[in-house]
Amino acid sequence: MNIAKRLFIGAVYAINGSKKYENTKRFFYNFLENDQYRFKKYVDFFMMILIFASVFILIEEVKNHLNVYFKFFNDYVISIIFMIEYTLRLWVYDSSTSIIIAQYEKDTALSRDFRLRRALYKVMRSKFEHIRSISSIIDLLAIVPFFHELRLLRIFILFRIFKLFRYTRSVKTFASVLLSKKFEFITLLIFASIIIFVSSVLVYIMEAHLPESPIKTLFDAFYWSVVTISTVGYGDIVTVSEAGRIVAVIVITSGIAVMAFTTSLVVSAFTEKIEEIKEIKNIEDIAKLKKIYLICGYKEIGRQVALKLKKDGLNIVVLDKEKKYVDEAVHDGFIAFDHDSGLLSTYENLKLNINTQVKYVLCLEDSDIDNIYTILTVRSISKQVEIISILQNKQNRKKLELAGVSNIVFSQEFIGLIAKEYIGQPVAFELIHALRSETNGIQISEILVDDVMIRYNGSIADIDSSRFKLLLLGIYKSSMNHFLFNPIENTLLETGDMLIIVGDYVFIEEFKKYLHTKSDR
């Protein structure tokens, strides 16, 4: 390899390995292409203002003398901004240095001289893929008015309106939906074009020689065909001969079919894409959420937990690999995805940042194996996030602990703790019997003792449940892993304890508010 190639490839490696270069490129990429970047919307809004300003100036210029500063702003300032944007998009589209390095390493591995031309060809080919895209062509046409000396080119300012497609998300979604039916629309367009061509020729032949006919040229015939097949029917040009009217009937009938087919295509495209659109919308929604409770598994336990957390106004996201449970979660008003929580790709696709967005991961699948997979996957992403899992089989406790779970809930243990305290308490059994009868509106509820509650209630004596006609059944002491039935008044409350309260639902809700405030004491 000659000295020039060595210097070139050395410079490419230096640029590719430069942190400053990488950060600069990522910075512009986020501003231009990354919809999840929080500042991108401001760039989009700024560009949309420029577009509307440019079109407004063009309209004003038609019948009014335009101020020279406005013309300068439109012809130079806006065009230069669009040109910079076009250049930056072309730059961040791909990594030219990586393409060149890949070619160099490939040639080196095959023990042959570095083919610089081949590498540059691949770079140009990659850039050309971007240049020939529709959005890039529109960007390029929007710059054309910069060459304002050619007045004809000023009409290209109108192409700046099409740039709104790039900055308006709903328009991009609509375009992507229509593109999914690209083949059908092209087929329909070909069919309509053939009808227009044939009918134009036919009506021209049949009408052009008649003195009373308004169709004098082939363009008149073409205009008449387009207006007729679109079922608009302005009435400024009509056929006068019997043969021409027969052609009109055929074109009108074809036009109705084209319109109906077009409508059905649009409807079917949206029907097929509606789930995908909803998922994209949900992904955008969860990107804005913080302190998420991620519920993995929406079976009976998962559903009850989610509904309970929903009452507390918490941010909940549900994952379940079975669509019927996801549909149930959506019906209950949750953001839900039919994704496997045990797969790393799930969190990548959802663009969910476990470290910064998720407060708790609740593994509530019916299978311990599924919960273990979820814990392993989540723990591989974040070492800090709190993971709580239910345990179905006590033999799997060690596996859950080794996987990295923060807390384990084994329902049989909890029930056993309560049952142990019930032994010899006949009143408690009577109470449970009353609750099970479901005839008196009384219910049992759990209240988690948190830091706010501790601030106002140091012990059982402070909570005064009798004031709300409630019965304090007991307290689960998290620090002792022990349930106290009918605790004494000087029992101290600690964060994480669980109060078991029995009474009317309305009074229980009022009692919860009372525990978190100093008012009315």
Side-chain angles (χ1 to χ4, degrees):
M1 188 166 61
N2 58 41
I3 296 176
K5 286 185 178 179
R6 286 180 182 175
L7 291 174
F8 175 76
I9 199 67
V12 170
Y13 267 107
I15 294 172
N16 196 59
S18 170
K19 283 292 179 186
K20 187 175 181 181
Y21 174 82
E22 182 184 351
N23 292 336
T24 305
K25 192 168 186 177
R26 185 182 296 119
F27 172 79
F28 285 112
Y29 175 83
N30 287 333
F31 265 111
L32 295 172
E33 302 289 353
N34 187 1
D35 290 333
Q36 304 301 321
Y37 189 56
R38 56 178 178 167
F39 295 115
K40 182 179 181 296
K41 58 184 178 183
Y42 300 111
V43 177
D44 292 350
F45 185 68
F46 173 69
M47 300 301 284
M48 290 171 68
I49 291 176
L50 291 182
I51 292 169
F52 284 118
S54 181
V55 174
F56 175 76
I57 291 172
L58 176 67
I59 295 172
E60 278 292 302
E61 195 179 8
V62 174
K63 291 189 176 181
N64 301 295
H65 177 70
L66 202 61
N67 186 295
V68 65
Y69 296 109
F70 279 114
K71 290 188 68 176
F72 179 82
F73 176 74
N74 190 38
D75 291 342
Y76 292 99
V77 177
I78 295 180
S79 296
I80 289 174
I81 292 174
F82 285 166
M83 185 180 291
I84 293 172
E85 181 209 11
Y86 181 83
T87 307
L88 289 175
R89 287 188 188 278
L90 186 64
W91 177 42
V92 302
Y93 173 70
D94 59 13
S95 174
S96 300
T97 54
S98 297
I99 295 173
I100 295 171
I101 290 173
Q103 182 64 44
Y104 169 74
E105 292 179 347
K106 179 181 178 183
D107 290 338
T108 303
L110 295 175
S111 302
R112 63 190 181 198
D113 192 30
F114 172 49
R115 297 182 296 175
L116 178 58
R117 289 185 179 179
R118 178 71 177 171
L120 294 177
Y121 168 74
K122 288 184 177 180
V123 171
M124 296 298 293
R125 187 177 62 183
S126 178
K127 294 296 183 187
F128 184 70
E129 287 179 1
H130 171 73
I131 292 172
R132 71 179 183 178
S133 65
I134 294 176
S135 58
S136 180
I137 291 172
I138 292 173
D139 288 343
L140 185 61
L141 292 175
I143 301 171
V144 171
F146 178 65
F147 307 99
H148 62 287
E149 298 302 331
L150 297 176
R151 188 170 181 80
L152 179 63
L153 298 182
R154 297 181 64 77
I155 198 67
F156 282 93
I157 288 177
L158 293 176
F159 277 92
R160 291 178 178 175
I161 296 178
F162 291 103
K163 282 173 70 66
L164 291 174
F165 280 83
R166 187 185 283 283
Y167 306 114
T168 310
R169 195 169 300 170
S170 56
V171 175
K172 284 195 290 187
T173 303
F174 180 74
S176 67
V177 169
L178 295 185
L179 280 175
S180 67
K181 293 290 183 181
K182 182 179 176 182
F183 174 77
E184 290 84 348
F185 278 114
I186 290 176
T187 304
L188 184 64
L189 180 63
I190 293 173
F191 171 75
S193 300
I194 292 173
I195 294 293
I196 290 173
F197 176 74
V198 172
S199 61
S200 299
V201 173
L202 285 176
V203 83
Y204 176 73
I205 294 172
M206 296 172 182
E207 296 275 328
H209 65 282
L210 300 176
E212 67 274 22
S213 175
I215 300 175
K216 303 296 183 186
T217 65
L218 189 58
F219 178 77
D220 290 339
F222 172 76
Y223 170 77
W224 172 85
S225 296
V226 173
V227 171
T228 305
I229 200 171
S230 64
T231 68
V232 174
Y234 291 128
D236 53 342
I237 296 180
V238 296
T239 54
V240 296
S241 68
E242 186 174 341
R245 286 171 181 166
I246 292 173
V247 175
V249 170
I250 296 172
V251 175
I252 291 171
T253 306
S254 302
I256 293 172
V258 169
M259 291 297 121
F261 192 35
T262 303
T263 305
S264 67
L265 277 180
V266 174
V267 172
S268 66
F270 272 96
T271 303
E272 292 172 7
K273 287 280 186 178
I274 192 68
E275 292 299 327
E276 186 179 332
I277 293 172
K278 284 182 179 178
E279 180 160 320
I280 293 173
K281 177 71 170 55
N282 285 336
I283 291 174
E284 292 173 352
D285 288 342
I286 64 172
K288 305 171 186 173
L289 298 179
K290 299 290 183 185
K291 297 182 179 179
I292 294 173
Y293 284 69
L294 184 63
I295 294 180
C296 305
Y298 200 72
K299 312 300 186 295
E300 186 55 35
I301 295 177
R303 183 170 185 268
Q304 293 301 325
V305 171
L307 293 173
K308 179 75 175 176
L309 295 175
K310 184 182 179 183
K311 288 182 179 178
D312 297 333
L314 302 174
N315 295 323
I316 301 164
V317 175
V318 175
L319 295 179
D320 199 300
K321 53 190 174 185
E322 295 186 49
K323 193 170 185 313
K324 66 177 183 178
Y325 293 113
V326 172
D327 292 340
E328 189 175 347
V330 172
H331 182 265
D332 291 336
F334 297 108
I335 297 175
F337 300 92
D338 56 340
H339 291 287
D340 188 347
S341 57
L343 296 177
L344 192 61
S345 59
T346 294
Y347 307 97
E348 294 173 349
N349 294 335
L350 298 180
K351 299 176 181 175
L352 185 63
N353 191 324
I354 299 288
N355 284 310
T356 59
Q357 289 185 270
V358 178
K359 186 174 184 179
Y360 287 103
V361 178
L362 307 177
C363 302
L364 304 177
E365 289 284 2
D366 289 342
S367 164
D368 286 336
I369 301 301
D370 288 340
N371 289 329
I372 289 172
Y373 274 118
T374 299
I375 295 167
L376 287 170
T377 302
V378 173
R379 196 52 84 199
S380 69
I381 301 172
S382 173
K383 303 297 181 188
Q384 294 82 28
V385 68
E386 288 285 323
I387 304 176
I388 301 173
S389 175
I390 58 171
L391 176 64
Q392 302 292 347
N393 188 334
K394 65 180 181 180
Q395 294 178 344
N396 293 323
R397 176 184 288 275
K398 190 66 177 176
K399 296 176 182 175
L400 286 173
E401 292 173 347
L402 291 174
V405 68
S406 306
N407 290 289
I408 296 175
V409 177
F410 188 30
S411 57
Q412 294 179 19
E413 283 183 353
F414 192 71
I415 294 171
L417 286 170
I418 298 177
K420 179 183 175 184
E421 298 298 330
Y422 283 168
I423 295 175
Q425 306 286 344
V427 177
F429 284 106
E430 291 295 327
L431 172 64
I432 293 173
H433 174 72
L435 291 170
R436 293 187 61 188
S437 66
E438 299 180 353
T439 58
N440 49 18
I442 301 297
Q443 65 176 248
I444 187 169
S445 180
E446 302 167 0
I447 300 177
L448 178 66
V449 179
D450 54 28
D451 292 335
V452 177
M453 195 186 300
I454 288 292
R455 194 182 309 164
Y456 307 126
N457 307 277
S459 65
I460 293 295
D462 298 329
I463 63 176
D464 195 14
S465 59
S466 60
R467 178 180 175 184
F468 292 83
K469 302 184 185 307
L470 300 175
L471 174 63
L472 176 62
L473 189 62
I475 178 172
Y476 174 74
K477 299 292 293 181
S478 59
S479 59
M480 303 163 57
N481 194 24
H482 184 70
F483 181 78
L484 300 177
F485 182 80
N486 193 19
I488 57 178
E489 290 190 344
N490 62 355
T491 302
L492 297 178
L493 296 176
E494 299 174 282
T495 301
D497 290 349
M498 189 75 75
L499 301 177
I500 310 300
I501 295 291
V502 178
D504 187 87
Y505 170 76
V506 176
F507 293 158
I508 291 175
E509 292 301 312
E510 289 295 323
F511 183 58
K512 289 179 181 177
K513 297 176 182 175
Y514 165 80
L515 292 176
H516 289 81
T517 178
K518 279 186 173 179
S519 62
D520 300 332
R521 288 178 186 255

